[in-house]
Amino acid sequence: MMLQQAINPASAVAETVLSIRNLESYYGPIMAIRGVSLEVRQGQIVTVLGANGAGKTTLLKTISGVMNPEKGEIWYSGRNIAGEEPDRVVKAGIVHVPEGREVFPLLTVEENLRMGSFVRTDKAGIKADEEMVYGYFPILQERRRQAAGTLSGGQQQMLAIARGLMARPKLMLLDEPSLGLSPLLVKEIFTIIRRLNREQGVTMMLVEQNAKVALEVADYGYVMELGRIVMADTSARLLASKDVQEFYLGVQGETQRGQKRWKQKKTWR
Amino acid sequence: MDVLQLFVSGLANGCVYGLIALGFVLIYKATEAVNFAQGDFMMLGAFITLGLTNDQFWGLPFWLSVPIAIAAMGLFGYLIEMIVLRRMFGQSQVAIVILTIAMGFVLRFAAGLIWGNEPIALESPIAGKDVRFGGLVLGLDEIVVIAVTVISTILLYFFFNLTKLGVAMQAASQNQLAAYYMGIPVKRVHSLIWAVAGMVAAVAGILFASKGSIDPSIGLLGIKAFAAAVIGGFGSLPGALLGGIIVGLIEPFASYYIAAGYSQIMPYLLLFLILVFRPHGILAQIHRKKV
Ligand SMILES: Nc1ncnc2c1ncn2[C@@H]1O[C@H](COP(=O)(O)OP(=O)(O)OP(=O)(O)O)[C@@H](O)[C@H]1O
Ligand SMILES: [Mg+2]
């Protein structure tokens, strides 16, 4: 056990940047997050896997403050940010790159990036980050005067990530960056996500349905089902786990697929 | 020469309609609410200026009264959004429409109480003076109205395209959720949009009042401006201005060439035709990118 932990340098020593405790979120009467607890450590990529409707997006929305939780705590750099307004959360260093890109379609690429840095006032830093971002996504520099709505899906995804980076986040919440992209593009984008994590030191919380690519870049993973965390482990062990293979990687197991559900049987901790 | 004079006076009226229409479109684009009190905002801006500068009221210098009135209308718009409209969040469009119509009535009534219901002329330095270009005689008021509209348009263009706040206003109207994700304070942005609409209305009101006497019912001009906004597509700022100018030009020419009884309905006939044949407005296909 100790050896296996040591293989992953980040998780061995790094401090916790985000710690969620017993979080509950509702859409009206519908309880979408049912008591989630999880931790994200400095410098890691932590993935949250789960099928459609598991509550992954809701979890991210609750962290970034566009939704208010009913119960629970979200600890980040020494304070409980649960229920804070989104602009305060962004200022504190958490940026949400939403599902489905959500670029500003009529603004140019450049203007979209400028909106990413809306909460910042350090002109020189913003300029430097723009160069940094164009370094990772050269295509955006080529298209910088083009309306974002006219970009391809892959380019829009790159823009959404780039725009998020312009906030200079300590923690980036990425919601299904692989959605609707070709395998080749998914690979390209995940390579960049990993590089951003390593080179820029951005801690990532990566929500995915594509468990395979997510677990390949992530250090640690959680599996969500019906608003709850049902599994939590290092990526290597999740990849090797029979259940994950069976339910999320499409490998045929001994039991019939889709018959079994991971309720509270294996709640984390 | 007649035709040119008609053209200039129509253009000047059209500029006022266009500025009011701009307010409609600004608010609609950003918040999806239609402010049917926009014409009454114009009226209020005119009366605040009049109340500040006319001798029977405060008698302040005109050039001091104008910026104060514009600032006051900005604050008024901001507060109306913050105190009234924000409470309507999640309500149906119809409820908001009725609210703004009611607000218009209240403003008209209040203006009548404060400044009376008789027509009053704004003591404006540009009122009632002529300018001669060779043989052509034009009203100074009309020239100033057109010039100020051009300047306001340029200022708004720079504000919306070159300042961080202006671009953020565009962003929030294009994708509100994404604006929240970027930390743009969307609620404050909405209040500020109302402030801008209030200031533009004040400019329109001052210009309008420089062209003739006013009474609290001039806010009903908002209906023509609404038609102008629809003609322009209700989604583009240049469209709103163009729609205003079209309505402004149709009026004098229609009354010149057609019997008086019919000329009155021309703007609405045009509105009707546009709604039937080009429901997205005349600029819809040309101008995709605008606030
Ligand atoms: N706006 C909403 N109103 C009501 N219910 C909602 C709303 N958005 C999501 N839900 C419900 O909340 C639950 C969790 O949804 P959520 O979008 O968080 O799932 P997800 O894990 O992100 O799914 P996906 O992988 O499809 O994006 C689902 O049952 C969904 O139907
Ligand atoms: Mg989702």
Side-chain angles (χ1 to χ4, degrees), chain A residues 26-28 30-33 50-61 67 99 175-176 179 207-209 224 226-227:
Chain A
Y26 288 74
Y27 292 103
I30 305 162
M31 193 177 187
I33 301 291
N52 285 111
K56 308 179 295 296
T57 297
T58 310
L59 176 63
L60 294 193
K61 281 183 174 173
M67 267 180 82
E99 188 177 356
D175 199 348
E176 301 210 34
L179 193 72
V207 156
E208 264 299 341
Q209 283 201 45
M224 260 187 106
L226 297 175

Side-chain angles (χ1 to χ4, degrees), chain A residues 38-90:
Chain A
L38 60 77
E39 288 199 345
V40 177
R41 288 178 187 278
Q42 177 69 44
Q44 283 196 334
I45 299 182
V46 171
T47 185
V48 178
L49 307 173
N52 285 111
K56 308 179 295 296
T57 297
T58 310
L59 176 63
L60 294 193
K61 281 183 174 173
T62 311
I63 299 170
S64 60
V66 298
M67 267 180 82
N68 288 333
E70 194 69 29
K71 278 208 191 99
E73 293 157 15
I74 303 171
W75 287 91
Y76 171 81
S77 62
R79 74 172 203 259
N80 179 9
I81 59 163
E84 278 191 13
E85 288 291 316
D87 53 320
R88 292 207 55 190
V89 177
V90 176

Side-chain angles (χ1 to χ4, degrees), chain A residues 57 61 64 66 85-87 90 94-96 98 102-108 111 114-121 126 163-164, chain B residues 29 160-165 167-172 174-185 187-189 288-290:
Chain A
T57 297
K61 281 183 174 173
S64 60
V66 298
E85 288 291 316
D87 53 320
V90 176
I94 301 181
V95 79
H96 185 156
E102 304 280 352
V103 296
F104 301 113
L106 304 181
L107 297 187
T108 63
E111 287 168 332
R114 219 163 135 209
M115 288 300 102
S117 61
F118 184 86
V119 299
R120 295 172 64 184
T121 48
I126 293 172
R163 185 182 59 179
Chain B
K29 289 285 292 179
F160 280 112
N161 288 290
L162 296 181
T163 69
K164 181 167 142 183
L165 182 61
V167 178
M169 284 177 174
Q170 288 194 58
Q174 287 169 26
N175 190 335
Q176 187 167 322
L177 190 59
Y180 272 116
Y181 286 134
M182 293 305 109
I184 296 171
K187 288 174 192 154
R188 185 135 40 96
V189 163
R288 290 262 147 128
K289 183 201 156 137
K290 278 307 152 217

Side-chain angles (χ1 to χ4, degrees), chain A residues 135-168:
Chain A
Y136 283 96
F137 303 101
I139 187 74
L140 296 181
Q141 184 160 29
E142 269 172 48
R143 301 286 164 96
R144 66 186 188 281
R145 304 216 189 279
Q146 192 173 322
T150 64
L151 298 176
S152 74
Q155 291 162 352
Q156 287 191 16
Q157 185 59 60
M158 294 181 193
L159 178 57
I161 296 172
R163 185 182 59 179
L165 284 170
M166 289 304 293
R168 185 132 284 269

